[in-house]
Amino acid sequence: MVKICCIGAGYVGGPTMAVMALKCPEIEVAVVDISEPRINAWNSDRLPIYEPGLEDVVKQCRGKNLFFSTDVEKHVFESDIVFVSVNTPTKTQGLGAGKAADLTYWESAARMIADVSKSSKIVVEKSTVPVRTAEAIEKILTHNSKGIEFQILSNPEFLAEGTAIKDLYNPDRVLIGGRDTAAGQKAIKALRDVYAHWVPVKQIICTNLWSAELSKLAANAFLAQRISSVNAMSALCEATGADVTQVAHAVGTDTRIGPKFLNSSVGFGGSCFQKDILNLIYICECNGLPEAANYWKQVIKVNDYQKIRFANRVVSSMFNTVSGKKIAILGFAFKKDTGDTRETPAIDVCNRLVADKAKLSIYDPQVLEEQIRRDLSMARFDWDHPVPLQQIKAEGISEQVNVVSDAYEATKDAHGLCVLTEWDEFKSLDFKKIFDNMQKPAFVFDGRNVVDAVKLREIGFIVYSIGKPLDSWLKDMPAVA
Ligand code: NAI
């Protein structure tokens, strides 16, 4: 029986391996992690991550051919193929701080693989890594190999959180990069055979190692660039009276452009986009390509601009002060159908409003209070490190932030409400009831364009929707970022 082990039981390792186990019943899959609480959660009824459909997949295979364990060394020792899906944070100190990927976790995983292995293995990069990481890993493995043969493959993951299971069942493509040697091609074939259990072979793209590594960074940079493009357009729409949804539709019907990823919003978040673009910028700079680096920097700058522009709009609309005012925050996750808050735009918006002395009442259907408080107190980039290593700001935010368990409680007696995640349940709230229980004038700031602005204006709200023609009230109070 072929044995697969995945180091890192996170948002990528857990769902990817669960689907692999489901689709390949004759392969034994072990997902291992140094974090005991995480592994305990994978073995419990409350999985460590929320992802539609995931629980069902895990329940079908767990204990049969899918195992979650903290015994990292045992499972690596027994495996034929070892995936490495550990976190790759942005460096916060030293050379490349604020841009380069910190490969500490990757390197320690590679050294451990070399230490415990007694038979040849295929080592697969699943994490998103800088170009030529495979070469570095190869050096660590071969210099410690004791005669064992390791083949390194790059197999970046393209799943999107919130639709991970659907994406894993029907990926647009699977990408496998490897060495152009007989052994390298044999390793590519072995991994392709695993995916071929459920992915049509023509959708499995095989490339050299460096193309596979760079393609992942490039794909995320292109996706983020589309969001920043439409968000830059949203600011112009507000200034001119155009409607960003209409503009995006008109632009997206051009088949060369396509309609996806053209929704204007308060900004992109998630663990990957910013981190991967920073990484790309660093690689461009290291290769003496400042113009290319500056191009990608602008994608992040526009994203920061959009978040701050939104928060400033809230403050300026409410007579230029939110001091002591209750503001409801509906949604904290970086997008709907996930409980993930890494780099969520809600962090920047909330911190900005807290700095202006607002009192926030936050509700998200999937994010726990402890997580929200941690996110609002954590130093930049620290979220990608284990909890004990995260630096928490000394000054407390507790008095200004309240986390509640439903939207009606959040909005009761509030002066304004901000929609920061596009959860479906926010579309069907009883806004008449909410309006009746809010201070007047009552403001809605829709950072995701999910509410029916016409209906809300009829109820009596003053409504701001990103990139839409402004209420006359808001026109007189421009927000400068
Ligand atoms: P995560 O932080 O959820 O999971 C990483 C896990 O690795 C953690 O549980 C950590 O305890 C574990 N770990 C770290 N060092 C270890 C070691 N030496 N031995 C055993 N376990 C170790 O991270 P996530 O989101 O799963 O991301 C993993 C990689 O995949 C990152 O490089 C990320 O950029 C990439 N990626 C993430 C996507 C996402 O949607 N989250 C999508 C595609 C790629």
Side-chain angles (χ1 to χ4, degrees), residues 365-401:
Q366 283 298 332
V367 185
L368 300 175
E369 172 165 2
E370 188 200 341
Q371 185 63 49
I372 292 175
R373 292 197 179 280
R374 181 166 278 283
D375 287 335
L376 293 179
S377 314
M378 209 186 300
R380 200 163 178 232
F381 300 128
D382 263 11
W383 51 266
D384 214 359
H385 291 278
V387 170
L389 298 183
Q390 292 169 359
Q391 290 176 47
I392 301 298
K393 283 184 231 153
E395 69 274 23
I397 44 119
S398 48
E399 277 153 36
Q400 276 176 268
V401 174

Side-chain angles (χ1 to χ4, degrees), residues 7-13 32-35 38 72 85-88 105 108-109 112 126-129 157-161 216 271-272 275-276 340 342 384:
I7 305 176
Y11 285 86
V12 170
V32 296
D33 203 294
I34 40 177
S35 162
R38 212 162 209 189
V72 182
S85 183
V86 300
N87 30 334
T88 46
Y105 302 107
S108 101
M112 184 272 301
K126 199 62 167 153
S127 306
T128 307
V129 288
E157 184 49 59
F158 292 99
L159 68 80
E161 286 176 35
K216 174 64 193 178
S271 65
C272 297
K275 182 177 73 167
D276 293 354
D340 194 355
R342 296 178 291 179
D384 214 359

Side-chain angles (χ1 to χ4, degrees), residues 400-455:
Q400 276 176 268
V401 174
N402 202 14
V403 180
V404 298
S405 57
D406 81 82
Y408 298 102
E409 194 185 343
T411 49
K412 190 168 182 329
D413 295 324
H415 291 258
L417 80 82
C418 303
V419 180
L420 299 187
T421 313
E422 71 280 22
W423 286 103
D424 288 336
E425 67 176 66
F426 297 155
K427 291 181 193 161
S428 53
L429 290 170
D430 181 347
F431 279 101
K432 175 76 177 78
K433 180 172 157 189
I434 288 176
F435 180 79
D436 290 343
N437 287 325
M438 282 177 67
Q439 307 274 350
K440 308 296 176 318
F443 296 85
V444 170
F445 302 94
D446 186 357
R448 298 283 180 168
N449 285 339
V450 290
V451 303
D452 183 340
V454 175
K455 231 180 182 169

